[in-house]
Structures are given as structure tokens and as C-alpha cells.
Amino acid sequence: MRPIRSLLLPILAVAVAAPGMLAAPPAQAQNFFERLFGIKPERPPVPPRGLPEAPPAPAAPGEPGPPAAPEAPRPAPAPARPIVLKTPSEDGVIGQDLQLNGLSGTLKLERSGTAVTARIKLPGTKISQPAESCTVPLAGGSPVTLSAEGKPEGVPRFEAAGAECPLRFDVTEGGVLVSSLGAGPICTFSAADCATTPVGLWGPAAATLIPRAGEFDTARGVADKAVRDNYKLMTQRARREDVRPIVSEQAAFSSDREQLCRTYAREGTHGFCHLRVTENRALALATRLGANTATPTAAVAPRRPRPKPAVEGMNPDAAGGGDVLPE
């Protein structure tokens, strides 16, 4: 009986499960018989290589999607060009009465045929009494012929190398930067008992510059940006061993500009000296970068925050800028 019973047990199990297996889907029924009799399922067919695969199904909301394909490498940016500001012309200062720092002395550039001459009175202090001021007319007040030196740093340059006080004149917009060609910045005239210091910016008096303070402020932003861009471009093009001198030179320019312009009359109000010195610096850097200063490029001024419009019912002139008007 035991052998017959052992054979009947699997048959009875199949009979009991048959009604449910008939109602189950074919895949579930097949899995049941595979587990019952120990039949291993066949592996799904592998698609042949080279056939396009179906696109992945879109991810459900809230689930991370498939990883994005890596982006193709972007082309390298085109090499930057130096920023070239408008180059000043000597015609803008010919015939103008200029003063050192807008305060003392006189300088007037004039044309004599094709040459440029200068009438200049140098301001200084008395050698015997340093507390007193004095002026010395160069060449006894006669016009001094200047030699044209071209534009080695992007702006017109003239020199009076043979004068009693040898000087260099670099033209700016509305002024002239004067530097010494001698051993130092001081020229001494013993016969006149006067020691002169003509180095600095010769320009208009402060009273004529203050109404243009807004114009100078906007132009200063353009000039500062041009200096920064040209300085960065110069460091990018330079060899590694040449970068440190360029950085030192740029740092020295900032301090030299501050020292040069702090004595200009009312400089903190109009900013004329800082603007002109910065413009000439930008043109000098552009020239060293090989740019043609005869064709200025567009330099965009940095954006300034616009004032918020006054809200109805608010007092824009109040100290806090937003006090409610009393009814």
C-alpha cells in the first residue's frame, strides 16, 4: 500500500491545484510546474548585436531618470583682444591754459608751422626761504620747441630734452602729463633762487571740472575695466617667468596714480586726474599688446544699480528712504 500511496500523493496534489492553475495566467502555471518538478527555465533570447535598442521608458514622477549622456567638448574660446580706448590728440590741448594740478604755473602748447612749441612757467619754492613760492619761466618766457616722439605708449609724446629743465609731455584728454628727463623730479634755478617740481598732471582749474564729475565717473568705470582686461590679457600671453614683473608693475601703477593725483585741486570731487591717468595706462597696455590705438574698440562700462522708483505713499527724500507721509 505504501508504494501506491506514494504515487497517489503527487497526483492528488496536482488535482487539488488544477482548478486554480486553470484560472491562473499561463506564466504562473508554467512557474508552478517548474517548481513542482524541478525544471529549470530557459534563458530569454539575447538580441543580436548591432540592432538599435528601444529607448528607455520615461521615469515615473519623483523617481530619478536615466543618467544623461556626457556633453561633447566645447570648442576653445577665441583669443581675447586688447581694449583700445579713444586716443587723445594734441589738438585738444593746443592753445589751452593748463596748470600743474590745476593750481599753479602755466603751460600752453602752440603750433608753429608743423612743429609744436610750449610756453611754460614752472612753479616751485625759494631755495633761501622754502616757505615761500616762486615761478620760473622756461627759456626766459620764449617758446620752447618740442620734438615729436610719436606714440610709444599709445598717446602723443613730445620732449624738450635740450631745455634748462628737460621735460617729457604725454598728452591726455584735456591735459598733459609731464615727467622729468633729468636725474630727478626737481629742477633748480640758482639765479632765480627757485627749486621747481614740474612733474605731474597739468590740466584745467577745478572750477571748470566739477560740473563734469558725473561724466568723469562714468568714463572712469570704462577706463578701469580696460586696464583690468588688458592687464589680464598681458599675464595670459606672458611666459611664466615674466608674470611676476607684470604683476608688480600693475600694483605700482595703482599706488603711483594715487600719489600723483592726491595733490590735484578738488580731485575727490571731480576725479579728473584719476580718469586721465587710467585712460593713458589702458592705452599703454594695449600698445604693448600690439593693438592699433588709431582704431578704438568698444569698452562697456560696468553696470551700476538703478535707483528703485518711489512707491506711492512713501517719501523718497526721507532719511530712511521709505517713511510714510503723514496724512
Side-chain angles (χ1 to χ4, degrees), residues 136-233:
V136 177
L138 201 61
S142 301
V144 178
T145 302
L146 306 180
S147 61
E149 302 297 326
K151 299 179 181 179
E153 293 190 3
V155 299
R157 172 176 290 178
F158 301 92
E159 291 183 356
E164 305 153 275
C165 182
L167 298 174
R168 172 178 292 160
F169 305 86
D170 285 321
V171 176
T172 71
E173 189 69 33
V176 175
L177 273 170
V178 176
S179 56
S180 176
L181 292 176
I186 300 176
C187 288
T188 303
F189 297 84
S190 302
D193 189 28
C194 191
T196 64
T197 52
V199 174
L201 178 62
W202 294 66
T208 63
L209 299 174
I210 292 175
R212 303 175 60 189
E215 172 193 340
F216 296 153
D217 184 53
T218 302
R220 170 75 181 275
V222 177
D224 283 335
K225 184 179 184 303
V227 169
R228 289 193 302 268
D229 291 348
N230 290 344
Y231 160 70
K232 291 178 182 178
L233 182 58

Side-chain angles (χ1 to χ4, degrees), residues 56-68:
E63 296 183 1

